[in-house]
Amino acid sequence: MAPPLALCGFLLLLALIFTVSFAVGVGAGPVAPGMHGDSTSGDGGGGRDDMGDMQGGHG
């Protein structure tokens, strides 16, 4: 027994939306300050230093 046509259409639409959003994200590039490509420099991501001056923390 085949799945309902509406389910197949929904899954196809979901895959299409994911593909388009991924392509837009790749085209936009990194948007976070100080974010650089896929480097393995061993800095552990470096996100901690960039966020040190942010205000409005918890507590």
Side-chain angles (χ1 to χ4, degrees), residues 25-57:
V26 167
V31 294
M35 190 173 184
H36 303 289
D38 295 334
S39 67
T40 55
S41 60
D43 61 355
R48 191 89 169 141
D49 295 332
D50 293 338
M51 296 172 47
D53 296 332
M54 290 180 64
Q55 296 180 358

